């Protein structure tokens, strides 16, 4: 375990802390939380249940735009999993000017006002739609804002499906506080496209030489070892969690001919098999879309009763349906069963649907944050002249 410059375990402040899954991941890799902030009192309940000392010591509930910077301690890392509502492809795409995702600028304000106390590292997390929001302008503005504060930038995309049976691609940005370093141009084309920098991101990097980049050569993500069936609770069919035959039949009737054919094949199987279903509106009609590749769809926040993922179990000429439980959703986020869930189901599902995947953050800590902090600088620095030739 590399230490921070003062010889102690590295420290971090988490903004948009949610239910504490980023903290859970970093602490499992030897980092120490010294500060947390979130605006949502319901999410903070789950946070306090799992990190009770934070309620009195380091958690401030409130709007980041109104947060007093003097309350933020000096740390090695600041993290920001800011709201995705205005950046998501499924949202209104208001971008960083939106009411929710615009809270990113509150985070930038905090860093600016910290001045000489700015952390060595910054970690941003958001949906991949951040990359294309406003034709890429929002992402560029965010990177240049970090540059202006003395941070060179790296960006990569990781899908939770490498680590857990959930499809959840997210865009990460690491900022390295190297304002005092002199940058030289390096030919680093080999860094552009990779398993964690797909073509769209690699093209963005190449097309924006005005950004002060610092790209780190990262290993390929691991091969996932778990599947949907591995995270499911063994709930007897006579329990109330399972839907009535009529409700399950209606779900089946909402499937397109292609999806219904897959479901019928599952029903005819000699053994039970499992899939997940999301209801989506297609051409003004509610449709049930079935996925059977052993990976659940991306967890979402259940607003107005929508967005909850359905488990479809079929075989032996029978079929059953129910909602995924909060504990099963926690497992899809790589959360150990020791994590306390003692709030109403919808509250828990909202928290997990708006959170990070724990082993993804652990991978980033192990392969990026801890080594970069130990080095005191970033990876390969790339000057503005790199891509011009």
């Amino acid at each position: 375990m590399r230490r921070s410059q003062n010889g102690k375990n590295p420290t971090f402040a988490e903004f948009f802390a949610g239910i504490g899954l980023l903290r859970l991941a970093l602490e499992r890799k030897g980092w120490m939380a010294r500060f947390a902030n979130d605006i949502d009192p319901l999410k903070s309940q789950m946070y306090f249940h799992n990190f009770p000392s934070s309620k009195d010591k380091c958690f401030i509930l409130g709007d980041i735009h109104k947060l007093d910077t003097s309350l933020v301690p000096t740390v090695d890392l600041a993290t920001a999993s800011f709201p995705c509502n205005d950046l998501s492809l499924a949202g209104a795409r208001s971008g960083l000017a939106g009411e929710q995702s615009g809270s990113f600028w509150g985070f930038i304000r905090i860093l600016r006002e910290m001045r000489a106390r700015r952390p060595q590292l910054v970690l941003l997390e958001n949906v991949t739609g951040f990359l294309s929001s406003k034709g890429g302008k929002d992402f560029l503005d965010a990177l240049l804002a970090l540059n202006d504060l003395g941070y060179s930038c790296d960006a990569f995309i990781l899908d939770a499906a490498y680590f857990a049976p959930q499809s959840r691609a997210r865009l990460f940005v690491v900022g390295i506080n190297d304002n005092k370093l002199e940058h030289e141009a390096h030919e680093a084309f080999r860094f552009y496209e990779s398993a964690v920098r797909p073509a769209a991101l690699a093209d963005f990097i190449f097309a924006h030489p005005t950004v002060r980049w610092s790209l780190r050569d990262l290993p390929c993500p691991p091969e996932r070892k778990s599947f949907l069936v591995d995270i499911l609770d063994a709930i007897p069919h006579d329990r109330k969690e399972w839907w009535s035959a009529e409700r399950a039949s209606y779900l089946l009737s909402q499937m397109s001919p292609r999806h219904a054919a897959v479901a019928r094949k599952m029903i005819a199987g000699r053994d039970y098999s499992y899939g997940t279903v999301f209801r989506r509106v297609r051409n003004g009609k509610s449709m049930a879309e079935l996925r059977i590749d052993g990976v659940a769809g991306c967890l979402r926040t259940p607003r107005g009763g929508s967005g909850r993922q359905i488990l479809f179990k079929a075989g032996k000429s029978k079929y059953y349906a129910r909602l995924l439980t909060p504990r099963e959703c926690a497992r899809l986020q790589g959360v150990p069963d020791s994590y306390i869930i003692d709030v109403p189901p919808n509250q828990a599902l909202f928290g997990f649907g708006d959170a990070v995947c724990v082993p993804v953050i652990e991978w980033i800590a192990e392969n990026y944050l801890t080594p970069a902090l130990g080095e005191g600088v970033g990876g390969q620095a790339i000057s503005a002249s790199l891509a011009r030739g």
Side-chain angles (χ1 to χ4, degrees):
M1 177 68 200
R2 283 187 172 89
R3 307 281 177 167
S4 63
Q5 293 182 353
N6 62 12
K8 299 179 180 179
N9 280 30
T11 57
F12 65 96
E14 54 175 343
F15 298 85
F16 314 99
I19 63 172
L21 299 197
L22 190 143
R23 173 174 177 170
L24 176 64
L26 289 179
E27 287 189 341
R28 284 160 64 109
K29 290 299 176 179
W31 289 69
M32 295 176 58
R34 293 199 60 205
F35 179 85
N37 167 248
D38 199 276
I39 195 172
D40 191 329
L42 294 180
K43 290 179 184 175
S44 70
Q45 286 182 9
M46 296 181 69
Y47 192 105
F48 296 149
H49 292 172
N50 287 277
F51 306 100
S53 64
S54 300
K55 190 170 185 178
D56 301 319
K57 292 184 178 180
C58 70
F59 192 105
I60 295 181
L61 180 65
D63 187 344
I64 192 170
H65 293 292
K66 301 176 181 178
L67 182 63
D68 183 352
T69 303
S70 67
L71 299 177
V72 181
T74 301
V75 291
D76 298 303
L77 165 70
T79 69
S81 296
F82 59 100
C84 67
N85 311 56
D86 302 306
L87 300 170
S88 171
L89 297 177
R93 298 289 271 175
S94 300
L96 292 183
E99 181 179 355
Q100 300 294 322
S101 299
S103 55
F104 167 78
W105 298 113
F107 176 68
I108 291 297
R109 176 189 67 84
I110 296 293
L111 293 177
R112 181 181 302 112
E113 292 178 359
M114 290 183 78
R115 299 181 182 274
R117 295 194 304 112
R118 287 176 199 148
Q120 178 70 20
L121 299 172
V122 168
L123 176 66
L124 309 181
E125 180 267 352
N126 216 291
V127 295
T128 57
F130 188 17
L131 179 62
S132 59
S133 177
K134 302 297 183 184
K137 184 178 184 302
D138 279 335
F139 191 48
L140 177 61
D141 286 348
L143 296 171
L144 292 177
L146 288 174
N147 281 175
D148 287 344
L149 294 175
Y151 293 94
S152 59
C153 296
D154 197 353
F156 50 93
I157 292 174
L158 282 172
D159 194 329
Y162 284 115
F163 306 86
Q166 179 198 179
S167 176
R168 191 182 189 85
R170 289 296 184 265
L171 174 63
F172 296 89
V173 173
V174 175
I176 299 105
N177 191 347
D178 55 4
N179 194 38
K180 298 180 181 179
L181 296 179
E182 300 217 356
H183 295 275
E184 297 178 358
H186 295 281
E187 293 294 334
F189 298 105
R190 68 187 180 90
F191 282 131
Y192 285 160
E193 190 167 348
S194 68
V196 297
R197 297 187 186 95
L201 178 55
D203 289 346
F204 184 96
I205 293 171
F206 185 83
H208 292 86
T210 55
V211 174
R212 192 167 78 250
W213 297 103
S214 184
L215 306 183
R216 192 175 190 89
D217 195 7
L218 293 170
C220 289
E223 182 178 345
R224 177 173 41 84
K225 298 179 181 179
S226 62
F227 296 87
L228 175 64
V229 66
D230 298 319
I231 63 92
L232 298 176
D233 287 321
I235 300 177
H237 295 143
D238 60 355
R239 290 268 297 273
K240 64 179 182 179
E241 287 88 347
W242 292 101
W243 292 357
S244 67
E246 292 77 16
R247 191 178 179 187
S249 176
Y250 179 67
L251 178 71
L252 188 59
S253 73
Q254 289 185 297
M255 295 183 189
S256 68
R258 180 171 65 89
H259 286 263
V262 174
R264 286 194 295 271
K265 187 174 181 180
M266 292 173 64
I267 294 168
R270 296 176 60 183
D271 298 307
Y272 287 121
S273 57
Y274 302 84
T276 57
V277 178
F278 266 128
R279 285 195 176 102
R280 306 180 193 273
V281 176
R282 304 294 188 193
N283 299 318
K285 183 180 179 181
S286 178
M287 303 291 292
E289 298 184 353
L290 175 63
R291 178 171 184 161
I292 61 165
D293 61 351
V295 176
C298 182
L299 292 179
R300 298 183 292 183
T301 53
R303 291 181 173 86
S306 66
R308 295 192 63 174
Q309 202 158 175
I310 303 161
L311 175 68
F312 185 75
K313 175 181 180 179
K316 304 178 182 180
S317 301
K318 300 177 182 178
Y319 63 96
Y320 307 88
R322 64 171 173 83
L323 297 173
L324 288 178
T325 68
R327 180 60 68 189
E328 289 167 339
C329 291
R331 293 172 187 148
L332 289 176
Q333 291 284 41
V335 176
D337 284 358
S338 57
Y339 184 92
I340 298 169
I341 305 175
D342 55 1
V343 297
N346 255 28
Q347 183 177 339
L349 293 174
F350 193 96
F352 288 118
D354 220 15
V356 298
C357 183
V358 171
V360 171
I361 303 300
E362 289 181 303
W363 187 91
I364 294 171
E366 183 175 345
N367 291 282
Y368 205 129
L369 301 177
T370 302
L373 184 64
E375 295 162 6
V377 297
Q380 178 126 20
I382 302 177
S383 77
S385 64
L386 172 61
R388 292 176 182 168

